[in-house]
Amino acid sequence: MPELPEVETVARDLQRWVAGAQIVDVEVRWDRTIRHPQPPERFAAELRGAVIAGVGRRAKSVLLRLADGRVMTVALRMTGALVVSAPGTSDDRYARVVFRLADGRELRYRDVRKFGRIGLFEGGGFRVRRARRARPRIREAGAPYRVGDVFAGHGPEPLSPSFSARRLEERLAGRSARLKSLLLDQSFIAGVGNIYADEALWLAGLHPLRTADTLNRDEVARLHRSIRKVLRQGITNRGASFSDYVGADGEPGENAERLAVYQRTGAPCLRCGRPIQRLVVGQRSTHFCPHCQPLPAAAEEPAP
């Protein structure tokens, strides 16, 4: 599944290429791709004539902000991609939604496995989930469904200037969850997935089975730096392509070749030369170096 660096790469490409473009027609080829509004014919009708004012990202979703204040969200999920196609480009059998632009280009949403979702919402309502046990805000009946409601349960953006080491420490306080599971929890931190969780923990020298409440302040600061560093590296290298991920230009990213542990089981650790190992945490494959990421003696390793 595309994570923060991959989605950010797509959003930055689209900002350069389609900001200011007008959508003149929409063809929905797979109805279940449309999350909101329903039916899909209404979704298409409401977008005809709309102008894309800008493109951004929240968590693992691309946000296309329209000139009238509405926002279209695109969750790429497992195999989704947004690709800008020049006039005359041959059709794509996996294009589930096609947005035709006034200049003859097409913005195609392709999705081999059909897991992705697209929604059109009123603007506004963004907020960050503050605490693990905070009660979710209940939207009043009849109130417009705003884009912020889609992300109401998400945690902070890890590359935001406001996401400091102290803020991470506050969010970790009192948590007994394992670090790998916690980093994958989108209510704890937004946008990090399996690839960059493994990479951040290796860079920080922290075992994926460590529990959050065992970290000291120095380790929290190290984890904070590592999360931000691996995400920025991923963006610089235009994301990691292992299967279907491509940028908006249709080209794969280059970050997969620069990963330290993810999917490198048995390969030598880039720090110590010992073999990278794999274990399963919360049904997710996890890659680490047991020498560079030691598990404290007090912690128990689960039976295989």
Side-chain angles (χ1 to χ4, degrees):
M1 178 183 292
E3 302 179 27
L4 187 155
E6 290 75 39
V7 179
E8 181 70 22
T9 297
V10 172
R12 292 184 182 189
D13 285 350
L14 293 178
Q15 172 63 28
R16 292 195 303 271
W17 298 338
V18 303
Q22 183 180 41
I23 300 171
V24 296
D25 196 17
V26 179
E27 180 184 359
V28 178
R29 299 178 178 177
W30 182 254
D31 287 355
R32 293 182 185 177
T33 297
I34 306 306
R35 174 180 179 180
H36 181 82
Q38 288 291 333
E41 292 79 10
R42 178 185 168 191
F43 169 85
E46 290 195 10
L47 277 170
R48 292 188 183 104
V51 174
I52 302 171
V55 185
R57 178 196 57 78
R58 173 70 170 112
K60 299 178 185 179
S61 293
V62 177
L63 307 183
L64 290 93
R65 302 179 185 276
L66 306 182
D68 61 11
R70 294 177 299 165
V71 180
M72 182 165 61
T73 66
V74 184
L76 302 177
R77 303 284 176 84
M78 292 290 292
T79 61
L82 283 165
V83 180
V84 179
S85 300
T89 303
S90 58
D91 196 15
D92 184 346
R93 61 180 290 199
Y94 295 116
R96 309 304 178 187
V97 183
V98 178
F99 304 91
R100 297 189 174 91
L101 307 180
D103 60 8
R105 295 178 299 160
E106 291 181 346
L107 175 58
R108 298 173 177 176
Y109 176 71
R110 73 184 314 270
D111 189 0
V112 176
R113 299 187 66 182
K114 303 177 181 177
F115 291 153
R117 294 294 179 264
I118 300 177
L120 179 63
F121 305 97
E122 296 296 324
F126 276 106
R127 65 187 182 89
V128 172
R129 184 170 180 155
R130 293 185 178 180
R132 178 181 50 165
R133 291 179 290 273
R135 292 182 179 179
R137 181 175 59 85
I138 299 175
R139 183 165 48 88
E140 296 180 4
Y145 194 15
R146 300 181 298 173
V147 66
D149 296 324
V150 178
F151 302 100
H154 284 68
E157 289 286 334
L159 293 182
S160 168
S162 63
F163 186 70
S164 62
R166 179 175 291 275
R167 189 175 185 191
L168 176 60
E169 183 178 18
E170 291 170 352
R171 296 185 72 80
L172 288 169
R175 302 291 293 254
S176 59
R178 293 167 172 169
L179 292 178
K180 176 62 184 286
S181 299
L182 200 55
L183 291 180
L184 296 182
D185 183 351
Q186 296 301 292
S187 69
F188 178 76
I189 184 172
V192 177
N194 216 30
I195 298 173
Y196 297 98
D198 283 359
E199 294 296 302
L201 290 172
W202 176 83
L203 187 60
L206 298 171
H207 196 286
L209 295 181
R210 283 281 299 272
T211 56
D213 54 8
T214 66
L215 269 60
N216 60 40
R217 180 162 291 181
D218 288 342
E219 289 173 324
V220 172
R222 205 161 68 225
L223 178 60
H224 174 264
R225 289 194 302 270
S226 298
I227 291 170
R228 290 165 70 94
K229 183 172 182 177
V230 299
L231 293 175
R232 286 173 174 149
Q233 172 186 294
I235 294 171
T236 298
N237 296 323
R238 295 184 56 77
S241 295
F242 285 99
S243 54
D244 295 89
Y245 164 72
V246 293
D249 57 359
E251 296 297 322
E254 300 177 353
N255 201 47
E257 303 168 4
R258 295 169 170 80
L259 299 177
V261 290
Y262 183 76
Q263 289 198 357
R264 294 190 67 243
T265 305
C269 173
L270 300 182
R271 270 197 299 243
C272 71
R274 292 172 172 83
I276 298 299
Q277 293 187 14
R278 174 186 175 274
L279 57 79
V280 177
V281 181
Q283 299 183 329
R284 303 297 295 275
S285 293
T286 299
H287 309 83
F288 70 107
C289 173
H291 178 74
C292 297
Q293 299 167 258
L295 185 66
E300 282 190 22
E301 188 138 10

